[in-house]
Amino acid sequence: MLTAALPVLRVVGGLRGGWPLALATFAGIGLLRLDLLPVLAVVVGAGLLLHRPRPQEQP
């Protein structure tokens, strides 16, 4: 399990909002024992909002 988690943790460090999303996923699935699909739906939605394209400013 640890060898599978280490590459994911390396990637998380380079993303904006990566650590809070990773911790929310861990808390929801690991600690609160929530179902995987709803937790991933919320976390993926939050990640998409964090990384949505920004509109370009007009000169």
Side-chain angles (χ1 to χ4, degrees), residues 2-42:
L2 188 57
T3 59
L6 286 177
V8 173
L9 293 176
R10 284 190 205 119
V11 171
V12 164
L15 297 175
R16 178 179 56 221
W19 284 111
L21 291 176
L23 291 175
T25 304
F26 173 75
I29 295 171
L31 300 177
L32 299 175
R33 305 279 186 198
L34 299 174
D35 290 331
L36 175 66
L37 193 57
V39 170
L40 286 183
V42 170

